[in-house]
Structure formats: structure tokens, C-alpha cells
Amino acid sequence: MVQTLAAGGELQRDLQRELTYDGLRAAEARGNKGGRRPAVAAAKTETVRTAYLEGRSIAALARDHGVSRGAIRTAVADLLPEHTAGDQGVPAPELPVVLDMPGKVADFLRSAELEPAERAALDQGVTVRRGQGCTLRVSAVPAVYRGLLARCQPLDGVQGVPAVPAQRKARREYENRVSALIPTGP
């Protein structure tokens, strides 16, 4: 009698499993993936991805959208370096890096004409007091730092206009920091 009850239980379990798989296959055919809905809505995903590529940090995006950092990582998963590392021939996207910019360089760049991503990086920077001067702590992708470095070349002096030694020193210091932070490649 116990064996008969066990066989009936197995039959019921097999039937339930089969019906569950049939339901999942039917839902998949209708376009439903199943599982939990993403925390970042499909309408916001492209905005999050664009902001991430422009240099916004995952933590900042999570605060802005009121979701966890894991939800943001899920939305930008294919842009993260560990995902693209296995793809041969596909360059990994540049990730944001924090760098301290000398105050004299930051002051010069604030009055210069900049690209939108460069202007955004400067505007989001945090001023840090250092002794008599200050630095600007900026978080941006390496391409933005290279662009800012190119724009502050006039601090070395241009034709007919002598350079101010303190500004030239600040620009060289910034160049050294960018060079140390960003490898030049093979």
C-alpha cells in the first residue's frame, strides 16, 4: 500500500512539473521572460547607460534613480569590463577615474570653451582645500582628462605671451597625474 501511494505521489509530481514547463514555454512564446522585473525601468535604461558612458559612477546613478547599485550594474552589465574582457577585438569601455586637478588648472579651464562632457566633469568636481591653495577632485573617464589636458596647453605660454611659472607648474603636475593614471598603451 505504501508503494502504491509513493507511485501516485511521483505521478502527481511529474504531472505538475510537466504542466509548469508547458506554462513557462507558452509564456516565453508570448514574449514574457519570467523572473523578477528589473528595478530600472526600460524607459530609464538608455538614460542610465548614456550617463554611465559619460563618466557617472554607479553609486551616483543609483542615488539619482533611487535604486540599488546592483540594479544599475544590471542595466549596464554589458558595458562593464568583466563582461567585455572575453570579447576579442572589442575594446573595453573606459571607466570613470577620480583625479585631483590643481586649482590653477581648474580655474583656467572653467573660463575656457569645453565640450559638454568636460564641462560636466568640472561642474561635478569637489573643491578640496590644500594648504594655501586648493584642488578639484574630478571623476571622469580618461578621454575627458586627455581632452582637458589638451585644452590647458596655453598655460605653458603661447607665442608672444610669457607663461606664469605657477600656472606652468600646475599644468605639468596635472599632466604627470594624468600620465600616471592613464596608461599610454603598448
Side-chain angles (χ1 to χ4, degrees), residues 44-104:
K44 291 183 179 181
T45 301
E46 199 55 42
T47 306
V48 168
R49 292 169 61 83
T50 302
Y52 178 75
L53 288 173
E54 288 175 351
R56 295 292 310 269
S57 70
I58 289 176
L61 288 169
R63 280 191 305 273
D64 292 347
H65 293 281
V67 296
S68 69
R69 289 180 295 205
I72 298 296
R73 280 192 200 93
T74 300
V76 298
D78 61 326
L79 304 175
L80 295 174
E82 55 268 8
H83 177 67
T84 57
D87 299 341
Q88 298 300 326
V90 178
E94 293 182 313
L95 296 176
V97 180
V98 176
L99 185 71
D100 286 348
M101 177 185 298
K104 293 191 183 313

Side-chain angles (χ1 to χ4, degrees), residues 1-13:
M1 188 167 128
V2 173
Q3 286 180 336
T4 306
L5 289 174
E10 282 184 41
L11 178 65
Q12 183 179 3
R13 189 177 62 226

Side-chain angles (χ1 to χ4, degrees), residues 33 44 49 52 59 89 111 128 144 160-161 163 175 179:
K33 288 191 316 185
K44 291 183 179 181
R49 292 169 61 83
Y52 178 75
S111 63
V128 179
V144 171
V161 179
E175 182 177 26
S179 298

Side-chain angles (χ1 to χ4, degrees), residues 69 121 128-129 137 149 158 161 166 177:
R69 289 180 295 205
V128 179
R129 294 281 169 205
R137 185 160 291 151
L149 182 60
V158 290
V161 179
R177 290 177 187 176

